[in-house]
């Protein structure tokens, strides 16, 4: 594993059909796009086994993250990725 990691907590759509489509997009498009950013060398999405981080959704409502994506960061690039 790279010397640094970035964790992204995500709450997928509540509708199962939308969640499945979102998961496909997230894995096939979003993570590869993120890995094109200099300094990000890999990414993998995980489904959380227990309660995740509480966050505020775009609709202003509280939500609990159900996924976490772990991005591996190349040594020396950690500072430039803080804005993400």
């Amino acid at each position: 594993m790279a010397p640094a990691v970035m964790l992204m907590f995500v709450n997928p759509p509540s509708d199962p059909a939308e969640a499945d489509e979102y998961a496909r997009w997230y894995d096939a498009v979003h993570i590869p796009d993120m890995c094109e950013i200099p300094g990000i060398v890999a990414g993998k999405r995980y489904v959380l086994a227990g309660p995740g981080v509480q966050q505020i959704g775009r609709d202003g409502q509280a939500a609990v993250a159900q996924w976490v994506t772990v991005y591996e960061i190349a040594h020396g690039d950690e500072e430039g990725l803080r804005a993400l």
Side-chain angles (χ1 to χ4, degrees), residues 22-76:
Y22 185 71
R24 283 189 290 278
W25 169 82
Y26 199 92
D27 294 341
V29 177
H30 181 68
I31 290 175
D33 283 353
M34 288 291 290
C35 290
E36 292 294 319
I37 296 171
I40 298 179
V41 296
K44 178 133 175 87
R45 178 180 62 88
Y46 298 90
V47 175
L48 295 169
V53 175
Q54 185 171 5
Q55 46 194 355
I56 303 299
R58 290 188 177 117
D59 60 2
Q61 300 297 312
V64 176
Q66 297 175 22
W67 299 348
V68 63
T69 306
V70 179
Y71 291 101
E72 296 181 27
I73 310 301
H75 181 67

Side-chain angles (χ1 to χ4, degrees), residues 9 15 48 77:
F9 293 92
D15 177 86
L48 295 169
D77 289 331

